[in-house]
Amino acid sequence: MKDSENSAIVSNMIITYQGIEFIKIQHGDTVLAFNPVSKNSKFKTPRFGADIALVGLNHEDMNGYDVVGLGDKEPFVIKGPGEYEVKELFIRGYGTDSDYGGERKFNTIYSLTVDSINVCFLGALSSTTITPEAREAMGQAEILFVPIGGNGVLSASEAYQFAVKLEPKIIIPIHFGAVGDKAALNTFIKEAGDDKVAPVDKLTIKRKDLEGKQAEVVVLQPLM
């Protein structure tokens, strides 16, 4: 394989949805795990080794940073608001509220740039009332992960309307299927006005693939 071809492969970002709010992003040799499901959760998801684990909510369905240590990978754990620099990635966390699990909890939104692509992970967000700093970070997002299942997080309808206002290139719904409103995904797709959206196993993307996109919904098939 030519060096130029190998470089192109390395520059791809690969995104998979493990289920609930558990997202895996891989870029080159670096693996990030967002809201990994813990071993104490009733939900079970695949295990893998991560370099960075980002926990947005202290709940067993989303705080399993200990299960993404595998082999020689032991994750650097981020568990709240602040600024972090890990493996040449600059990550910001912004505090919000969440009602997931039936009681008010503290949720963290994460914003970061991976291979020149701005990524924002809303986690278990339950209200669109957020700080100006968090909204500014969201407004810079090119790939936006948004919860859609209701029952403690945004409903499908309000999630889509909120996401579109932020003007990302790609919107990826999370928190559907085994958790929350069973009809959430269908409602979300209907709100997007594109009934041809079909789930895919993974999203493989690089910077130039975002050109010309505007609030395009990409549905990832949960791997759980």
Side-chain angles (χ1 to χ4, degrees):
M1 180 179 290
K2 296 179 181 179
D3 290 342
S4 60
E5 292 174 339
N6 185 63
S7 176
I9 291 175
V10 169
S11 67
N12 287 342
M13 179 164 61
I14 303 171
I15 304 173
T16 53
Y17 178 35
Q18 312 298 308
I20 316 304
E21 293 194 3
F22 189 0
I23 287 288
K24 175 184 178 183
I25 294 181
Q26 182 165 358
H27 176 247
D29 294 328
T30 301
V31 177
L32 298 92
F34 293 80
N35 279 6
V37 177
S38 83
K39 59 187 176 183
N40 296 320
S41 172
K42 65 180 180 180
F43 302 108
K44 304 302 175 186
T45 62
R47 290 192 61 182
F48 57 84
D51 297 282
I52 306 171
L54 300 97
V55 175
L57 190 74
N58 187 23
H59 186 282
E60 59 195 17
D61 294 342
M62 304 173 197
N63 64 1
Y65 58 86
D66 55 331
V67 305
V68 288
L70 194 64
D72 60 354
K73 283 199 183 279
E74 191 66 31
F76 181 91
V77 181
I78 297 174
K79 294 192 290 183
E83 297 184 350
Y84 310 85
E85 189 169 2
V86 190
K87 295 186 73 68
E88 301 183 354
L89 295 175
F90 188 66
I91 302 167
R92 290 186 175 93
Y94 303 90
T96 66
D97 290 329
S98 176
D99 295 323
Y100 183 69
E103 59 184 58
R104 182 58 55 91
K105 292 184 174 63
F106 190 80
N107 177 63
T108 302
I109 295 168
Y110 290 109
S111 174
L112 66 155
T113 301
V114 181
D115 193 29
S116 300
I117 298 175
N118 295 327
V119 175
C120 186
F121 181 85
L122 300 186
L125 187 69
S126 64
S127 172
T128 58
T129 301
I130 53 178
T131 66
E133 293 80 10
R135 182 172 286 276
E136 181 180 359
M138 292 178 186
Q140 297 172 359
E142 293 169 300
I143 297 180
L144 179 71
F145 296 92
V146 57
I148 68 170
N151 297 328
V153 303
L154 299 178
S155 71
S157 295
E158 64 185 344
Y160 181 75
Q161 297 302 322
F162 181 60
V164 167
K165 289 179 182 178
L166 298 174
E167 300 183 337
K169 301 287 188 180
I170 292 177
I171 301 170
I172 300 179
I174 57 175
H175 201 107
F176 65 86
V179 64
D181 180 2
K182 303 303 180 185
L185 184 58
N186 287 337
T187 302
F188 189 81
I189 291 173
K190 185 178 294 185
E191 288 282 338
D194 187 356
D195 57 5
K196 295 181 180 179
V197 174
V200 295
D201 290 337
K202 63 183 177 181
L203 175 63
T204 302
I205 196 165
K206 48 185 177 289
R207 175 81 226 171
K208 69 176 185 178
D209 298 329
L210 295 175
E211 295 176 5
K213 295 187 183 298
Q214 183 176 358
E216 178 179 307
V217 173
V218 174
V219 176
L220 297 177
Q221 181 70 43
L223 299 181
M224 59 180 290

PDB file of all heavy atoms in Angstrom, residues 22 33 36 46-53 64-70 73-75:
ATOM      1  N   PHE A  22     -23.900   5.080  24.530  1.00  0.00           N
ATOM      2  CA  PHE A  22     -22.517   4.625  24.428  1.00  0.00           C
ATOM      3  C   PHE A  22     -22.039   4.748  22.978  1.00  0.00           C
ATOM      4  O   PHE A  22     -22.449   4.007  22.100  1.00  0.00           O
ATOM      5  CB  PHE A  22     -22.462   3.179  24.912  1.00  0.00           C
ATOM      6  CG  PHE A  22     -21.090   2.595  25.089  1.00  0.00           C
ATOM      7  CD1 PHE A  22     -19.935   3.313  24.830  1.00  0.00           C
ATOM      8  CD2 PHE A  22     -20.963   1.278  25.520  1.00  0.00           C
ATOM      9  CE1 PHE A  22     -18.684   2.750  25.002  1.00  0.00           C
ATOM     10  CE2 PHE A  22     -19.725   0.701  25.691  1.00  0.00           C
ATOM     11  CZ  PHE A  22     -18.582   1.436  25.429  1.00  0.00           C
ATOM     12  N   ALA A  33     -14.455   6.648  24.174  1.00  0.00           N
ATOM     13  CA  ALA A  33     -15.723   6.041  24.582  1.00  0.00           C
ATOM     14  C   ALA A  33     -16.548   7.083  25.325  1.00  0.00           C
ATOM     15  O   ALA A  33     -16.105   7.617  26.349  1.00  0.00           O
ATOM     16  CB  ALA A  33     -15.479   4.835  25.470  1.00  0.00           C
ATOM     17  N   PRO A  36     -19.982   5.139  28.440  1.00  0.00           N
ATOM     18  CA  PRO A  36     -19.994   3.668  28.370  1.00  0.00           C
ATOM     19  C   PRO A  36     -20.919   3.058  29.423  1.00  0.00           C
ATOM     20  O   PRO A  36     -21.005   3.539  30.553  1.00  0.00           O
ATOM     21  CB  PRO A  36     -18.534   3.286  28.639  1.00  0.00           C
ATOM     22  CG  PRO A  36     -17.968   4.455  29.387  1.00  0.00           C
ATOM     23  CD  PRO A  36     -18.673   5.667  28.859  1.00  0.00           C
ATOM     24  N   PRO A  46     -21.002  -4.300  23.840  1.00  0.00           N
ATOM     25  CA  PRO A  46     -19.668  -4.841  23.566  1.00  0.00           C
ATOM     26  C   PRO A  46     -18.598  -4.142  24.388  1.00  0.00           C
ATOM     27  O   PRO A  46     -18.724  -2.967  24.730  1.00  0.00           O
ATOM     28  CB  PRO A  46     -19.474  -4.545  22.072  1.00  0.00           C
ATOM     29  CG  PRO A  46     -20.847  -4.368  21.532  1.00  0.00           C
ATOM     30  CD  PRO A  46     -21.649  -3.766  22.640  1.00  0.00           C
ATOM     31  N   ARG A  47     -17.534  -4.872  24.688  1.00  0.00           N
ATOM     32  CA  ARG A  47     -16.395  -4.299  25.397  1.00  0.00           C
ATOM     33  C   ARG A  47     -15.258  -4.056  24.422  1.00  0.00           C
ATOM     34  O   ARG A  47     -15.053  -4.811  23.483  1.00  0.00           O
ATOM     35  CB  ARG A  47     -15.921  -5.234  26.514  1.00  0.00           C
ATOM     36  CG  ARG A  47     -16.865  -5.353  27.687  1.00  0.00           C
ATOM     37  CD  ARG A  47     -16.191  -6.061  28.843  1.00  0.00           C
ATOM     38  NE  ARG A  47     -15.013  -5.333  29.321  1.00  0.00           N
ATOM     39  CZ  ARG A  47     -14.218  -5.781  30.305  1.00  0.00           C
ATOM     40  NH1 ARG A  47     -14.450  -6.940  30.866  1.00  0.00           N
ATOM     41  NH2 ARG A  47     -13.181  -5.067  30.680  1.00  0.00           N
ATOM     42  N   PHE A  48     -14.521  -2.997  24.681  1.00  0.00           N
ATOM     43  CA  PHE A  48     -13.333  -2.709  23.892  1.00  0.00           C
ATOM     44  C   PHE A  48     -12.414  -1.817  24.720  1.00  0.00           C
ATOM     45  O   PHE A  48     -12.819  -1.260  25.740  1.00  0.00           O
ATOM     46  CB  PHE A  48     -13.700  -2.022  22.567  1.00  0.00           C
ATOM     47  CG  PHE A  48     -14.484  -0.748  22.722  1.00  0.00           C
ATOM     48  CD1 PHE A  48     -13.843   0.466  22.952  1.00  0.00           C
ATOM     49  CD2 PHE A  48     -15.870  -0.761  22.635  1.00  0.00           C
ATOM     50  CE1 PHE A  48     -14.566   1.641  23.104  1.00  0.00           C
ATOM     51  CE2 PHE A  48     -16.598   0.417  22.780  1.00  0.00           C
ATOM     52  CZ  PHE A  48     -15.949   1.613  23.010  1.00  0.00           C
ATOM     53  N   GLY A  49     -11.202  -1.673  24.300  1.00  0.00           N
ATOM     54  CA  GLY A  49     -10.253  -0.826  25.004  1.00  0.00           C
ATOM     55  C   GLY A  49     -10.293   0.590  24.468  1.00  0.00           C
ATOM     56  O   GLY A  49     -10.295   0.808  23.252  1.00  0.00           O
ATOM     57  N   ALA A  50     -10.347   1.578  25.361  1.00  0.00           N
ATOM     58  CA  ALA A  50     -10.389   2.983  24.965  1.00  0.00           C
ATOM     59  C   ALA A  50      -9.219   3.735  25.581  1.00  0.00           C
ATOM     60  O   ALA A  50      -8.730   3.394  26.652  1.00  0.00           O
ATOM     61  CB  ALA A  50     -11.704   3.622  25.400  1.00  0.00           C
ATOM     62  N   ASP A  51      -8.778   4.775  24.876  1.00  0.00           N
ATOM     63  CA  ASP A  51      -7.734   5.649  25.407  1.00  0.00           C
ATOM     64  C   ASP A  51      -8.326   6.730  26.303  1.00  0.00           C
ATOM     65  O   ASP A  51      -7.698   7.168  27.259  1.00  0.00           O
ATOM     66  CB  ASP A  51      -6.977   6.310  24.246  1.00  0.00           C
ATOM     67  CG  ASP A  51      -6.268   5.300  23.373  1.00  0.00           C
ATOM     68  OD1 ASP A  51      -5.202   4.817  23.786  1.00  0.00           O
ATOM     69  OD2 ASP A  51      -6.796   4.981  22.294  1.00  0.00           O
ATOM     70  N   ILE A  52      -9.546   7.164  25.960  1.00  0.00           N
ATOM     71  CA  ILE A  52     -10.227   8.214  26.722  1.00  0.00           C
ATOM     72  C   ILE A  52     -11.674   7.794  26.948  1.00  0.00           C
ATOM     73  O   ILE A  52     -12.352   7.384  26.004  1.00  0.00           O
ATOM     74  CB  ILE A  52     -10.196   9.557  25.972  1.00  0.00           C
ATOM     75  CG1 ILE A  52      -8.771   9.946  25.592  1.00  0.00           C
ATOM     76  CG2 ILE A  52     -10.826  10.664  26.824  1.00  0.00           C
ATOM     77  CD1 ILE A  52      -8.684  11.150  24.662  1.00  0.00           C
ATOM     78  N   ALA A  53     -12.136   7.868  28.187  1.00  0.00           N
ATOM     79  CA  ALA A  53     -13.531   7.600  28.520  1.00  0.00           C
ATOM     80  C   ALA A  53     -14.151   8.891  29.031  1.00  0.00           C
ATOM     81  O   ALA A  53     -13.647   9.493  29.980  1.00  0.00           O
ATOM     82  CB  ALA A  53     -13.642   6.510  29.575  1.00  0.00           C
ATOM     83  N   GLY A  64     -19.684   3.623  32.940  1.00  0.00           N
ATOM     84  CA  GLY A  64     -18.854   2.418  32.983  1.00  0.00           C
ATOM     85  C   GLY A  64     -17.457   2.592  32.435  1.00  0.00           C
ATOM     86  O   GLY A  64     -17.001   1.796  31.597  1.00  0.00           O
ATOM     87  N   TYR A  65     -16.758   3.607  32.910  1.00  0.00           N
ATOM     88  CA  TYR A  65     -15.391   3.831  32.417  1.00  0.00           C
ATOM     89  C   TYR A  65     -14.473   2.652  32.724  1.00  0.00           C
ATOM     90  O   TYR A  65     -13.482   2.420  32.034  1.00  0.00           O
ATOM     91  CB  TYR A  65     -14.806   5.121  33.000  1.00  0.00           C
ATOM     92  CG  TYR A  65     -14.769   5.167  34.506  1.00  0.00           C
ATOM     93  CD1 TYR A  65     -13.700   4.637  35.210  1.00  0.00           C
ATOM     94  CD2 TYR A  65     -15.808   5.751  35.221  1.00  0.00           C
ATOM     95  CE1 TYR A  65     -13.667   4.681  36.593  1.00  0.00           C
ATOM     96  CE2 TYR A  65     -15.789   5.797  36.600  1.00  0.00           C
ATOM     97  CZ  TYR A  65     -14.715   5.258  37.282  1.00  0.00           C
ATOM     98  OH  TYR A  65     -14.692   5.297  38.658  1.00  0.00           O
ATOM     99  N   ASP A  66     -14.817   1.871  33.748  1.00  0.00           N
ATOM    100  CA  ASP A  66     -13.970   0.739  34.119  1.00  0.00           C
ATOM    101  C   ASP A  66     -14.077  -0.424  33.125  1.00  0.00           C
ATOM    102  O   ASP A  66     -13.218  -1.307  33.108  1.00  0.00           O
ATOM    103  CB  ASP A  66     -14.322   0.242  35.526  1.00  0.00           C
ATOM    104  CG  ASP A  66     -15.791  -0.101  35.691  1.00  0.00           C
ATOM    105  OD1 ASP A  66     -16.623   0.504  34.995  1.00  0.00           O
ATOM    106  OD2 ASP A  66     -16.112  -0.974  36.512  1.00  0.00           O
ATOM    107  N   VAL A  67     -15.112  -0.446  32.284  1.00  0.00           N
ATOM    108  CA  VAL A  67     -15.268  -1.561  31.344  1.00  0.00           C
ATOM    109  C   VAL A  67     -14.622  -1.273  29.992  1.00  0.00           C
ATOM    110  O   VAL A  67     -14.639  -2.127  29.110  1.00  0.00           O
ATOM    111  CB  VAL A  67     -16.758  -1.939  31.130  1.00  0.00           C
ATOM    112  CG1 VAL A  67     -17.439  -2.225  32.448  1.00  0.00           C
ATOM    113  CG2 VAL A  67     -17.493  -0.865  30.349  1.00  0.00           C
ATOM    114  N   VAL A  68     -14.065  -0.072  29.815  1.00  0.00           N
ATOM    115  CA  VAL A  68     -13.388   0.213  28.550  1.00  0.00           C
ATOM    116  C   VAL A  68     -11.873   0.233  28.723  1.00  0.00           C
ATOM    117  O   VAL A  68     -11.145   0.817  27.927  1.00  0.00           O
ATOM    118  CB  VAL A  68     -13.885   1.531  27.908  1.00  0.00           C
ATOM    119  CG1 VAL A  68     -15.286   1.342  27.369  1.00  0.00           C
ATOM    120  CG2 VAL A  68     -13.824   2.695  28.872  1.00  0.00           C
ATOM    121  N   GLY A  69     -11.416  -0.448  29.770  1.00  0.00           N
ATOM    122  CA  GLY A  69     -10.007  -0.756  29.901  1.00  0.00           C
ATOM    123  C   GLY A  69      -9.835  -2.208  29.482  1.00  0.00           C
ATOM    124  O   GLY A  69     -10.455  -3.102  30.044  1.00  0.00           O
ATOM    125  N   LEU A  70      -9.058  -2.446  28.453  1.00  0.00           N
ATOM    126  CA  LEU A  70      -8.929  -3.793  27.918  1.00  0.00           C
ATOM    127  C   LEU A  70      -7.530  -3.972  27.354  1.00  0.00           C
ATOM    128  O   LEU A  70      -7.054  -3.128  26.588  1.00  0.00           O
ATOM    129  CB  LEU A  70      -9.979  -4.022  26.824  1.00  0.00           C
ATOM    130  CG  LEU A  70     -10.224  -5.466  26.364  1.00  0.00           C
ATOM    131  CD1 LEU A  70     -10.794  -6.309  27.496  1.00  0.00           C
ATOM    132  CD2 LEU A  70     -11.182  -5.478  25.183  1.00  0.00           C
ATOM    133  N   LYS A  73      -4.845  -1.116  26.949  1.00  0.00           N
ATOM    134  CA  LYS A  73      -5.521   0.189  26.945  1.00  0.00           C
ATOM    135  C   LYS A  73      -6.186   0.442  28.291  1.00  0.00           C
ATOM    136  O   LYS A  73      -7.069  -0.296  28.716  1.00  0.00           O
ATOM    137  CB  LYS A  73      -6.557   0.260  25.830  1.00  0.00           C
ATOM    138  CG  LYS A  73      -5.951   0.483  24.445  1.00  0.00           C
ATOM    139  CD  LYS A  73      -6.986   1.001  23.486  1.00  0.00           C
ATOM    140  CE  LYS A  73      -6.405   1.165  22.085  1.00  0.00           C
ATOM    141  NZ  LYS A  73      -5.648   2.417  21.957  1.00  0.00           N
ATOM    142  N   GLU A  74      -5.744   1.479  28.959  1.00  0.00           N
ATOM    143  CA  GLU A  74      -6.343   1.919  30.217  1.00  0.00           C
ATOM    144  C   GLU A  74      -6.765   3.365  30.017  1.00  0.00           C
ATOM    145  O   GLU A  74      -5.919   4.245  29.830  1.00  0.00           O
ATOM    146  CB  GLU A  74      -5.336   1.807  31.358  1.00  0.00           C
ATOM    147  CG  GLU A  74      -5.929   1.993  32.739  1.00  0.00           C
ATOM    148  CD  GLU A  74      -6.912   0.884  33.118  1.00  0.00           C
ATOM    149  OE1 GLU A  74      -6.726  -0.253  32.668  1.00  0.00           O
ATOM    150  OE2 GLU A  74      -7.870   1.191  33.849  1.00  0.00           O
ATOM    151  N   PRO A  75      -8.059   3.655  30.023  1.00  0.00           N
ATOM    152  CA  PRO A  75      -8.498   4.982  29.603  1.00  0.00           C
ATOM    153  C   PRO A  75      -8.181   6.102  30.577  1.00  0.00           C
ATOM    154  O   PRO A  75      -8.174   5.901  31.797  1.00  0.00           O
ATOM    155  CB  PRO A  75     -10.020   4.811  29.476  1.00  0.00           C
ATOM    156  CG  PRO A  75     -10.351   3.743  30.466  1.00  0.00           C
ATOM    157  CD  PRO A  75      -9.185   2.789  30.401  1.00  0.00           C
TER     158      PRO A  75
END
